Amino acid sequence: MTHARPVLATVAVAACLPYLTLKLNWLSGGLTGIPEGSPLHDSGTAMWLLNALTAAMDGTVVLLVLALTRPWGRRLPAPVLTLPLWTACGLLGPIVVAFPVKALSGLLGGGTGGGDTDGADALLESWVWTVVYSGFVVQALALGGLFAVYVRDRWGTLLRSPLHRHVREGRSGGARAASGFAAAVAVALPVLVAHAARLADEHADNRVTDATFLLYTVTALAAVARLLRAGGAERPGGARLWPTLAAAWLGSGVLACWGGWLLLGDLSGAGRALGQQTSGAALLTYACQALAGLLLAALAARQVHHRAHPPGAGAAAGAAVRG
């Protein structure tokens, strides 16, 4: 993987170009890939601003590639790098799972598998969905490979440590963690119910998408629960920390980032400009999804912080230096 780093960097940047090119075309007034009759012709300022935001987000991937491959990236404070990477993983995670399944289903069923159907009222031409989402999948895999190499080099010792390791945070700290997880479960319940209900409806659209979000929600809850439980007792040997932490990282990111993104799209007015109507129940689900993801991410980050900086470690190091 280390020797593949230049290749992965090149692939990740190249995968950004189709999306960036389309966004810049639309921002400058172009109509590439937008059919006649599409609501995008009269979408207004809100959609223009969202296009500018998403173009900036895709451009940020190029900066992340540089940070993951250049020497100065190793000197960045952890939050400066991990927060945008967590966001990128959260937004790209469902696409990596759902888009190939939809594309395969479309091929087997004789459809396009691209996304929105073509026709007078389609938002975009079918080839746009295929090109853009294929680029997202490649981008996610290449960026994920670069991130894996970076994490191994910078935090490999921590991530290879045993999953079951006692974390000294006191009785009050453990109670706060338990209360936080209970709150996350309560907030996530409407999300689980909403996706499960749509998945059970044979006539509902986007059942693959609902199944994907349901999978990530369950994964996030299970991973954080295991992470918290593993911090209560030592066990010789056994599993390493990194698989459980990776599941918590990705699952919480998907919940928080997609919940926040869907909420932003509606509250900004972009959805209404495209003729989309969002119910109050759907808005509540988006808000619960975002809040559950943030709570789970905070619990996982707190657990990792206590593992990396156990109480007394700083004092012990200072005594050793003074000695």
Side-chain angles (χ1 to χ4, degrees), residues 61 196 260 296 314:
V61 173
L296 292 172

Side-chain angles (χ1 to χ4, degrees), residues 14-169:
C16 296
L17 296 181
Y19 188 72
L20 278 175
T21 301
L22 281 169
K23 288 292 181 176
L24 293 175
N25 176 267
W26 297 339
L27 288 170
S28 61
L31 300 175
T32 302
I34 302 177
E36 293 184 12
S38 171
L40 289 171
H41 286 287
D42 303 305
S43 55
T45 304
M47 183 56 63
W48 190 94
L49 291 174
L50 278 183
N51 278 331
L53 175 60
T54 50
M57 290 165 63
D58 208 46
T60 303
V61 173
V62 179
L63 297 179
L64 289 175
V65 169
L66 292 175
L68 293 172
T69 54
R70 306 307 301 167
W72 53 265
R74 292 289 299 273
R75 299 189 293 271
L76 289 174
V80 172
L81 189 62
T82 55
L83 183 59
L85 278 166
W86 177 71
T87 304
C89 289
L91 291 174
L92 293 172
I95 297 173
V96 173
V97 174
F99 176 71
V101 174
K102 285 186 175 183
L104 182 60
S105 175
L107 289 174
L108 295 177
T112 61
D116 280 21
T117 57
D118 47 10
D121 296 326
L123 286 178
L124 297 167
E125 300 285 357
S126 60
W127 66 264
V128 175
W129 299 98
T130 302
V131 169
V132 167
Y133 280 96
S134 297
F136 282 159
V137 171
V138 175
Q139 184 184 129
L141 296 176
L143 188 65
L146 287 172
F147 187 40
V149 175
Y150 181 94
V151 166
R152 183 199 63 187
D153 293 343
R154 184 167 178 176
W155 298 297
T157 301
L158 173 65
L159 297 181
R160 287 190 297 269
S161 64
L163 172 63
H164 293 276
R165 171 174 289 179
H166 181 60
V167 177
R168 297 176 179 85
E169 52 181 341

